[in-house]
Amino acid sequence: MTPQGPQAPLEFGGPLGAAALLLLLPATMFHLLLAARSGPARLLGPPPSLPALEELWSPRALLLLLAWLGLQAALYLLPARKMAKGLELKDRSRLLYPINGFQALMLTALLVIVGVLAGLPLGALSEMLLPLAFAATLTTFIFSLLLYLKALVAPASALAPGGNTGNLIYDFFLGRELNPRIWSFDFKYFCELRPGLMAWVLINLALLLREAELRGSPSLAMWLVNGFQLLYVGDALWYEEAVLTTMDITHDGFGFMLAFGDLAWVPFTYSLQAQFLLHHPQALELPMALVICFINAVGYYIFRRANSQKNTFRKNPSDPSVAGLETIPTATGRKLLVSGWWGMVRHPNYLGDLIMSLAWSLPCGVSHLLPYFYILYFTALLVHREVRDEQQCLRKYGRAWHEYCQRVPYRILPYVY
């Protein structure tokens, strides 16, 4: 197959790296699920035992997953409080996106509350994580194949810069089409924040309820993990429109990398701390809990203020809250912020993210490395994303970006990196 349209440099180690990640990502997810429920709870080294096929495959789990995806798709199609325009595409068009993610979260929460009050055994979901993860993995492989086949008939203007190399494995992994849609239903936008993020907090809640069944009440550590991560998901959906300017939406194609990440990796690995606490309860005293809450609050404050400043500036540079900030003009007509939060480091929102990830792991104590997998993984993810951002900005802004880097030398952590 010959490539179509402009191409970006190969990423993730090219076709060999993509092939390795197709196996490594699901294997890592299942390793974490097995390790969290095992006695040793080792991050490194094999789990004590591997599950039999009947522990992985469950028609009931597949039906539950498809019902969940169907519910979220139905909520996506409900009338939105606002329709937002995405960035301009190669053909000069701008797609419309419904801004109703927080509405979907509230309606989902209402359905869950009614279900639990009516006797729905939500805590039993904690015993189905393995077959649900297996169903999600199988579904994302099939979904990614369908996306790849759909992209074969898409016009060149609809392809992502990085996923149309002509190599089947690499393009399947990275995604060929930038915004795959059927009518107005945008698959990438739907998956980015809806089913996976909401499934994450639903799994957390199921683990909390299961702990209450086993021990009489949820632990303080479990409450903190649930509360911190619910705040994070609620924030993402409340500020849903901001995702339209992220690299995932504007640059990356929609293939296995994003589909698996959104639908399987997020709900089943981001809930790792709650999984760990169910099987390895930790005593947490109130003073330490208050310290952890303070750490999370600091991280959230940096994350939210930095993102809000950036989004306000992008929407309206004349807004009084950002009009006085210093900028660097670029050849594209856009300006780069070199004061405020974005004058401290180039990615202050990433710094807030990392501080919060530490707060999510601390309630799990320090006896095991396993619950700290998230911060280790997330650090690697954000550093890699930051490198990709830098390369893209250098191509886009040229000299202006060099000047920005001189003015703001630190990337994520002041005086360190």
Side-chain angles (χ1 to χ4, degrees), residues 226-242:
N226 268 258
F228 292 162
Q229 295 180 350
L230 177 61
L231 171 65
Y232 188 80
V233 170
D235 177 274
L237 292 167
W238 180 262
Y239 294 99
E240 181 182 26
E241 188 175 350

Side-chain angles (χ1 to χ4, degrees), residues 282-304:
Q282 302 291 313
L284 183 63
E285 300 298 329
L286 183 60
M288 186 58 188
L290 293 175
V291 171
I292 296 172
C293 287
F294 176 75
I295 293 172
N296 191 75
V298 169
Y300 179 73
Y301 179 80
I302 295 172
F303 171 82
R304 176 45 36 220

Side-chain angles (χ1 to χ4, degrees), residues 293-330:
C293 287
F294 176 75
I295 293 172
N296 191 75
V298 169
Y300 179 73
Y301 179 80
I302 295 172
F303 171 82
R304 176 45 36 220
R305 294 290 292 177
N307 276 325
S308 294
Q309 188 176 78
K310 175 184 66 176
N311 294 332
T312 300
F313 183 78
R314 281 178 173 174
K315 284 183 181 179
N316 180 17
S318 301
D319 187 282
S321 65
V322 295
L325 296 177
E326 191 176 354
T327 61
I328 295 175
T330 72

Side-chain angles (χ1 to χ4, degrees), residues 4-20:
Q4 295 176 266
Q7 294 181 65
L10 294 181
E11 301 181 86
F12 304 101
L16 285 178

